[in-house]
Amino acid sequence: MYKILIIEDEERIARFLELELLHENYEVYKAFDGKRGLELFQLCAFDLILLDIMLPGISGIEVLRKIRQTSSVPVIILTARDSTVDKVFGLDKGADDYITKPFSIEELTARIRAALRKKAESNKINSEDCLSSGDLRLFPQHHLVTYGDVEKIDLTKKEFDLLKMLLLNKNLVLTREKLIEQVWGYDYLGETNVVDVYIRYLRSKIDDVFGKRIIHTIRGVGYVIKDGEIKERTKY
Ligand code: CA
């Protein structure tokens, strides 16, 4: 069953949508403000998000921006009548579609079905847009990491970005400083051992699970992922 999140501050509309979508056999969650919406988004993998643009507190556009930092989940924005600016801005910020209030439920459900269909098609992943080393594959546009036949390795955003950076620079040793700059940003003020901590997280989720040595430590320098040199792991 598809899971849909409704982020809409007008509770009457949110409840109406919920009832209609339940009737269409979707699993429905709702949030009455952006903050709660983002919390639910973090907690649960939704198949689609209906997002009102005019929200109190965190605006719909800001919610959309945050969602797009980690996810390509289809988002349909709900805009006020004739608000061309919201539509253009929303689509520009990564919304998949928009619908103008007031709308008919038939129109909305047709758009939901279209967005879910489009997503399913784009999920037929093209092997060209993946980074890999041996059986490990990372799909940047889908925030997806696979190993062999294992369909999905759950990584946090930072773990994913770190792994991506190592795979993008395959066979090159990256220093901790370089990795911090690329993954945490220039303005990162914490400890440089954050890299070591996250490398440990990655190893515990990948190397340890699959019994391979994928991320190599180059003592005194940094880390590297090599191509085609994944051996059975002995010890680091
Ligand atoms: Ca509103």
Side-chain angles (χ1 to χ4, degrees), residues 49-53 60-61 64 75-79 85-92 94-101 103 108 111:
I49 297 177
L50 290 178
L51 174 63
D52 183 31
I53 285 296
I61 292 292
L64 177 60
V75 176
I76 298 176
I77 53 174
L78 311 175
T79 68
V85 174
D86 282 349
K87 285 171 209 161
V88 171
F89 204 55
L91 293 174
D92 198 42
D96 294 82
D97 201 353
Y98 66 85
I99 193 159
T100 307
K101 294 177 185 174
F103 47 80
L108 180 66
R111 283 171 188 247

Side-chain angles (χ1 to χ4, degrees), residues 8-10 52-56 101:
E8 162 67 82
D9 62 307
E10 285 166 77
D52 183 31
I53 285 296
M54 294 288 284
L55 289 172
K101 294 177 185 174

Side-chain angles (χ1 to χ4, degrees), residues 203 218 234:
R203 280 175 171 159
I218 307 300
T234 47

